[in-house]
Every structure is written in structure tokens, then in C-alpha cells.
Amino acid sequence: MSTIVTTPGVYTSMTRPVVPFLGMEIFELDTGQVKVYYGTILGWRSRWEVAWGEVAYLEKLTTFTMSDPANPEDVPGMSMTWISLLNRLYVVEVGFQIRHSGAISSVLAQLWDETGVAIDSRIQSSSTPGSGQDTSTPKTFVTNAITGTGLSKTVKMRTVKSAGAGEITCSATTKAMMILRDAGPAAPPTLT
Amino acid sequence: MPTSSISNTVKDGNGVAVPGVLVMVDLVPGPTFRITDGSEIAAIAPLVTDINGLWAAILEESSNLDPPGSYYRVREYLQKTDGGIKTYFFQVPAVDGLLHSNLVVPTVANSLFRPTIVTSGTHPASPFPGQMIFETDTGKVLFYYGTTLGWLPDWGVAWGEIAQTAVTSNQTTTGAVYVDAATASFTAIAGRRYLTHVEGQATLTGGATTPAVGYAITDGANAVLVEYKADLAQASFQLHAPMLHHGTGLETGAVSRKVRIKMATGTGTGGYLGSATGPLLLKIEDNGPAVAPVIT
């Protein structure tokens, strides 16, 4: 044999091999992506062992004013739902500015998951009498890695206010944003 | 279509023929077409050895395989107690024959691909889109994306951190106009998604008249991309003040990202603290593709 194969087969995303085999690797000319065949269920995916990067992004440009003094309330436009792949890791990053005023107290910004559980929390306090009781700070969330189950996942932002006024302050430049990214494998893929 | 039969009798370690053994035949390095009519060769169905330990497969002749030089691989799935899995590589001649008579030495062993081995200074002279190389001096596996983009990692995944600045001295201002606190530069590729992360400890001292410190991520020309403020209704504070920015996917060429600070309202001295153990961090990360590359 004198032929040495030096590259994956070159295809497009619409003209992939009709009879692929497990582990087959192709280069897609239209997407520029290298894909590996993981069987009939997973199909063609990027190489399993690396982080695939951004899955989804959203941003909020209008201020949300907290209104419920007793219960957590959703921040409109700050919820992300996706179909997770089994054994992939996902991380959600959130950036925002939170404000509290009008009382010696505090407000909370939280992340909740699809099971109705708060998974992370940030507090904004006003605790100095006579100074206007109006405070703002930039904050971020970076979740623990969320292991894909093959089912739908949700991460959403909620707020909790007990006293005074609170808001997630937003504008064209003071954005609240949420980024979902694939951070790599949690376990080997299920090959079929 | 020109085909021939290849056969073999599977035996265990004692030379005894073994019936009922699963036998898988496929092509190396991968699926092939027929040279004569361009049709694709279908996957070869699994075989099972008969009562005499024999398997036989009617296969396309090697001379009609496209790409030329493709050959066959057979795996005989013997139990461990019978010797374990046996793998052979063979060609199919113009006449029926035995596996033993048609064995070949594979050039790529059990792997599918062997990238062209180069260094970062000796790339292939006449590459084609999709060509894969391995650079021995950098350890990178790269693909050719045409004359404009050149050699890059797989476009479909995140490439990770590409620039970082750690400022280890305090960065403060008393002015109401933004000033620089940190700068990081990188070469952007159109269609990639860049994330900017800022981690730092905000500070205010000597504040008066409703003091608030402003923080921004800007581009190299000082255009504000995102901005926030820290205001604790106090004359002084220290607090965690992180920021994020999500790139447009349109950045290209030499790009800078800055952290800039100002007194947004009131008076005082505000900004970020910086030290060897608590630096102001400005980090740029490639988070994967925003759109497909333009392959030229």
C-alpha cells in the first residue's frame, strides 16, 4: 500500500456520507466544522472530547422593576430552555446590574432550574441610614457544570424583594445577558 | 460490478475451527465509491462463521475502489478464551481467494487518518480546503480554510482563551470621564464569537455627593460596549465588580478590549484594586463559531 490518507473526507452538511461508520470523521465545506459520526442516535457531532462553546445567548435591554414583596418573580427575557445532550456539560453565565432603594434591607437575584429550585443567589443591600438608601452594583453568575440528560433543561433569573424597591437595571449599554455554553464531556457518548 | 469472494476459517488458539463467530468487514480508510460508475459501496453486513468456522464475503475488487489504495479490514470476534479479536487487512483480487493469500500491510494501522506531519514553518505548499495537518512544534491539529483564513483549528468548537491582562496595581480616578484601567489585544477572525470577562475588586474612597463609580468594557477606540456602576450609598467601599461582554461575531483583524473607569456621579476616588494576589483581570475567550467561515 502506498496511499496514506491525510485528511477527513470533504463533504457539506447537506451531503454527508450515506453509509457512515462509527468514528468516521468528515470536514464540512459549508460550515467549516469537523464532524465525527457517533451512531444513529447522536449522529454527526463535533469531537466529543473538547468544549463545543456557545449554545445560546440572550440579552435584556429594558429595566425590570421588582413588584412582588412576598414571592420570587421571573425576570422577563432572562430564561433559557434547551434540549441537553446526554453526558455533555453545560455552563450558564449571567451578567447584570442590580439596584435596591428605599429601605434598610436587601433584594436578591437568583438562578432557578427546571425543577423549581434556586441554584445560585446574589444579594444587594442597603444598610446605611441617611445616605439615600439607593445602591447599585454589577454582578455575575457562573453556574456549576450542568450535566446533560438528553432532556429539556431550563435556567432562569428570578428576583426576591422584601422591602423597598428593586430592579435589574438595563439599557442599551447596561445589559443583562445570559450565555449558555457547552463546556465539554461529562462522560463518554452513548454509541449506537 | 467486478467482485470476488474472500474466505477464511476462524480457528482458536488450539487450531480448532470455531463456529458462530461474528465477523465484521469494512473499508479502510473509510467508505468508498466504485471507479467504474461512481456508485457508493454499501456497508458490508456482519457475517457469522458456519459450522466449520468458515466465513466468506463477496466483495468489490480492490482495483475498482475509489479512492484508489483503499483496502479492507476484517475483525473476527473470537471470545477471549479462544484468543480474542483478530484483525486483518486485505485486498480483493480479480479471482476468488483466501484471506491469507490476500493480506496487506496497512499503512495507517488501525487509525483512520494520519495527518500530514509538518511544523508551523513548513506547511504544505499546495493545500486544499479541509486538509488536515499536525504540527510537531506546536502540537496543533489544523485544517485548511482557504487562502484568506489559512490554517485554523476545527471551526466548530471553542478555541478557549486567546488574550489576558492581569493588572497588579490599583487603577483609580477622580474624574467624570472614562480612563483606561486595563487593555488586552488580539487578532480577531470574522465569524468567531468572542467573550470578554472582567474580574476585579471595585473600590471607592473619599466619596461625597451620592458617589458612584462607573465601569465599562470598551473597544480600542473607547466606544462603550457595556457599562455598569457601583454605588453603595457610602463614602467608601470595596466590592466584587465583574463584567461580561458578548462579541458580535463581526470583529476582524487587530482588536482591543479595554476596562475603563470613571466617577459616574458625585466625587471621590474610584476604580479597581490591583495586586499580585488580587489583580484586575481582563480575559478574552473564543467561545466557538458565530457563523460559518468564508472559505476561499
Side-chain angles (χ1 to χ4, degrees):
Chain A
M1 299 298 294
S2 59
T3 300
I4 295 176
V5 178
T6 57
T7 201
V10 177
Y11 295 82
T12 73
S13 58
M14 302 301 292
T15 60
R16 290 168 174 160
V18 294
V19 191
F21 55 87
L22 283 177
M24 185 179 186
E25 190 170 39
I26 62 172
F27 181 92
E28 293 182 349
L29 262 182
D30 56 336
T31 67
Q33 299 188 17
V34 177
K35 298 289 188 184
V36 175
Y37 188 68
Y38 287 102
T40 53
I41 294 178
L42 284 171
W44 295 95
R45 301 285 175 180
S46 295
R47 292 180 179 181
W48 193 261
E49 72 275 18
V50 299
W52 297 348
E54 185 167 307
V55 177
Y57 169 79
L58 58 83
E59 62 185 24
K60 182 175 177 60
L61 307 180
T62 55
T63 294
F64 167 69
T65 302
M66 304 175 202
S67 60
D68 192 327
N71 303 295
E73 54 188 330
D74 293 351
V75 178
M78 290 295 284
S79 177
M80 202 170 265
T81 296
W82 74 101
I83 303 298
S84 65
L85 268 184
L86 181 65
N87 291 335
R88 296 297 299 179
L89 293 175
Y90 298 92
V91 171
V92 176
E93 293 187 66
V94 181
F96 61 100
Q97 178 158 302
I98 187 169
R99 178 185 176 198
H100 180 242
S101 62
I104 302 174
S105 184
S106 60
V107 291
L108 295 177
Q110 297 181 321
L111 291 186
W112 289 56
D113 68 12
E114 70 280 358
T115 66
V117 172
I119 58 175
D120 206 347
S121 185
R122 298 285 182 268
I123 190 168
Q124 180 68 23
S125 300
S126 295
S127 58
T128 306
S131 299
Q133 303 301 335
D134 192 339
T135 70
S136 294
T137 56
K139 296 188 185 298
T140 56
F141 287 109
V142 180
T143 67
N144 282 333
I146 300 166
T147 300
T149 57
L151 303 174
S152 177
K153 295 280 186 184
T154 294
V155 170
K156 65 180 178 181
M157 190 172 178
R158 310 190 82 189
T159 58
V160 180
K161 176 178 76 74
S162 57
E167 68 179 31
I168 303 298
T169 309
C170 299
S171 71
T173 53
T174 303
K175 300 174 180 177
M177 65 188 79
M178 183 178 284
I179 303 163
L180 169 66
R181 59 189 173 90
D182 176 292
T190 301
L191 304 178
T192 52
Chain B
M1 305 299 171
T3 58
S4 298
S5 174
I6 297 294
S7 61
N8 186 43
T9 299
V10 179
K11 297 179 179 178
D12 65 15
N14 297 317
V16 177
V18 184
V21 175
L22 174 66
V23 176
M24 302 285 285
V25 178
D26 60 6
L27 280 153
V28 178
T32 62
F33 292 84
R34 295 178 179 85
I35 291 174
T36 49
D37 63 3
S39 62
E40 192 168 11
I41 293 175
I44 301 156
L47 306 167
V48 178
T49 56
D50 66 14
I51 194 170
N52 299 310
L54 178 71
W55 63 263
I58 297 174
L59 302 168
E60 193 72 22
E61 291 179 13
S62 294
S63 61
N64 195 34
L65 297 179
D66 189 9
S70 299
Y71 51 95
Y72 291 87
R73 173 179 61 176
V74 60
R75 286 166 290 182
E76 300 168 338
Y77 287 84
L78 283 159
Q79 299 290 328
K80 276 189 175 179
T81 51
D82 290 331
I85 300 172
K86 294 179 180 177
T87 302
Y88 299 102
F89 300 91
F90 66 96
Q91 61 184 353
V92 176
V95 296
D96 295 350
L98 299 174
L99 173 65
H100 180 224
S101 304
N102 292 286
L103 294 176
V104 296
V105 177
T107 52
V108 289
N110 290 320
S111 65
L112 289 171
F113 307 116
R114 178 188 171 193
T116 305
I117 308 298
V118 298
T119 69
S120 55
T122 60
H123 285 166
S126 301
F128 55 88
Q131 185 171 355
M132 180 168 65
I133 59 174
F134 176 79
E135 293 182 347
T136 55
D137 56 336
T138 67
K140 294 179 179 177
V141 175
L142 301 175
F143 298 84
Y144 188 66
Y145 287 91
T147 53
T148 303
L149 291 173
W151 296 94
L152 295 172
D154 172 12
W155 189 266
V157 301
W159 298 348
E161 186 172 310
I162 55 174
Q164 187 191 70
T165 295
V167 180
T168 56
S169 60
N170 294 344
Q171 303 294 309
T172 59
T173 182
T174 58
V177 177
Y178 278 124
V179 296
D180 292 355
T183 303
S185 299
F186 61 102
T187 301
I189 297 171
R192 301 297 300 177
R193 184 72 73 187
Y194 298 106
L195 294 183
T196 303
H197 293 82
V198 176
E199 283 287 335
Q201 189 78 356
T203 177
L204 172 70
T205 56
T209 323
T210 317
V213 184
Y215 299 89
I217 298 174
T218 75
D219 64 16
N222 298 334
V224 172
L225 303 174
V226 291
E227 62 182 344
Y228 302 91
K229 69 174 184 177
D231 170 9
L232 291 189
Q234 296 175 7
S236 63
F237 62 70
Q238 292 184 7
L239 58 90
H240 182 219
M243 293 189 286
L244 286 176
H245 175 254
H246 182 258
T248 62
L250 302 175
E251 299 93 342
T252 187
V255 170
S256 291
R257 290 285 178 262
K258 293 182 176 181
V259 177
R260 308 197 83 207
I261 54 175
K262 68 178 182 182
M263 288 302 298
T265 60
T267 59
T269 301
Y272 275 115
L273 297 176
S275 68
T277 53
L280 165 61
L281 289 178
L282 168 59
K283 188 171 69 172
I284 317 295
E285 184 181 357
D286 178 298
N287 203 30
V291 295
V294 178
I295 298 177
T296 53

